[in-house]
Amino acid sequence: MSKRWFITGGTPGGFGMAYAEVALEAGDRVVLTARRPAELTSWAEQYGNRVLVVPMDVTDAEQVARAVRTAEEHFGGIDVLVNNAGRGWYGSIEGMSETSIRAMFELNFFAVLSVTRAVLPGMRARGSGWIVNVSSVAGLVAAVGFGYYSATKYAIEAVTDALRQEVAEHGISVLAVEPGAFRTNAYAGFAEEPVAEAIPDYHDMVQQVRAAFVDMNGVQPGDPHRGAHAVIAAMTQDPPPRRLILGNSGYDAVIDALEQNLSDIRSNETLSRSADFPA
């Protein structure tokens, strides 16, 4: 049976479009939201009435409510929500401006909650649905110079885990997806904006982080379409996984980090267990 998708973050050359194209290839119908919908007009035309591009800034609660209502009226419901909109910026934990930190949480965390909470009532009423939250490898392995971006994604991981348990009995499945470095336009912006690190002591560190992103632009190993295919394959598993890491380097980095964490925690087992009242 064909599914009805609601995908945020419809930027040309981005992951959102890859999800949309893979869903459309499968014969499904797609609502793709975009801040600049005009950029997607000619792309959308090739799919006729199976795709609807809706203007939506994910950080605008009224626009979110309107877009979800439009999608539900147009296709009769939403079967799969992909929370894909988001972006990252670099800076030190000490030095990044409070405005930037809050803007990043607004976009990467609070906006995801707002879209999810708008879509859930319809899914609960129908007793079925899928929520796919696009996190990042940085949501499982904190990235130096990218700490606040990591923090927004760690927050997504926690909400995704709790939500999965809360909605399971209502027939709704929830998946976190952690892409590593994928060949999207997300990296292109890094070349144009200078490092705005307020504290000179961290300037070199942040400059190196930026240089790595700039160097990677256009040669990232991850293929967004293969990534989207992997996500759809994961959704058909019984039972489906709770999270899916995308890409070789991301997979290796996460496994290494988790194994290190485990060994670190175990190495202090005696101290950990010493903190209770005596039995």
Side-chain angles (χ1 to χ4, degrees):
M1 210 176 93
S2 91
K3 292 191 181 72
R4 299 157 299 186
W5 294 64
F6 187 93
I7 302 167
T8 68
T11 310
F15 234 127
M17 282 188 80
Y19 280 110
E21 286 168 358
V22 168
L24 289 159
E25 278 164 30
D28 292 346
R29 291 169 290 169
V30 170
V31 172
L32 183 59
T33 77
R35 274 180 314 169
R36 297 176 297 277
E39 295 179 341
L40 302 174
T41 306
S42 58
W43 169 82
E45 278 166 0
Q46 63 187 312
Y47 297 105
N49 60 8
R50 288 197 303 129
V51 73
L52 179 68
V53 176
V54 175
M56 185 178 93
D57 174 347
V58 287
T59 61
D60 182 326
E62 271 180 40
Q63 283 188 29
V64 167
R66 196 177 324 137
V68 168
R69 203 161 52 241
T70 301
E72 289 179 332
E73 285 166 5
H74 190 80
F75 286 139
I78 295 166
D79 300 306
V80 184
L81 164 63
V82 180
N83 280 310
N84 165 72
R87 67 162 298 192
W89 208 246
Y90 35 62
S92 68
I93 297 297
E94 186 183 351
M96 186 181 259
S97 80
E98 179 123 350
T99 317
S100 303
I101 298 166
R102 289 180 182 273
M104 207 157 18
F105 267 91
E106 208 56 60
L107 175 59
N108 292 354
F109 181 66
F110 290 110
V112 171
L113 297 187
S114 150
V115 177
T116 303
R117 286 159 57 138
V119 168
L120 275 168
M123 288 184 173
R124 266 190 305 105
R126 281 192 308 282
S128 69
W130 261 101
I131 292 170
V132 177
N133 285 337
V134 180
S135 174
S136 166
V137 164
L140 296 169
V141 183
V144 172
F146 233 61
Y148 286 113
Y149 174 77
S150 290
T152 65
K153 296 300 190 178
Y154 267 71
I156 288 293
E157 293 283 341
V159 160
T160 304
D161 279 348
L163 178 67
R164 183 185 303 110
Q165 297 173 70
E166 290 179 4
V167 299
E169 65 183 82
H170 303 290
I172 301 165
S173 303
V174 184
L175 174 69
V177 176
E178 294 88 3
F182 272 73
R183 206 167 300 176
T184 67
N185 289 346
Y187 290 64
F190 290 111
E192 294 147 26
E193 293 191 34
V195 168
E197 176 57 49
I199 298 173
D201 290 9
Y202 301 118
H203 205 272
D204 288 354
M205 177 268 289
V206 176
Q207 196 74 31
Q208 283 166 8
V209 172
R210 174 180 178 267
F213 276 101
V214 173
D215 290 348
M216 225 188 279
N217 188 37
V219 293
Q220 303 95 316
D223 173 346
H225 283 86
R226 284 173 184 260
H229 276 292
V231 170
I232 288 178
M235 289 163 66
T236 63
Q237 289 178 17
D238 187 20
R242 292 179 300 168
R243 49 179 52 80
L244 183 70
I245 295 151
L246 298 178
N248 281 290
S249 58
Y251 183 88
D252 293 340
V254 170
I255 294 293
D256 283 354
L258 292 178
E259 283 176 348
Q260 274 182 355
N261 278 347
L262 212 47
S263 111
D264 199 40
I265 290 165
R266 285 187 169 137
S267 70
N268 280 294
E269 181 176 1
T270 308
L271 276 180
S272 294
R273 292 188 182 284
S274 73
D276 287 354
F277 286 107

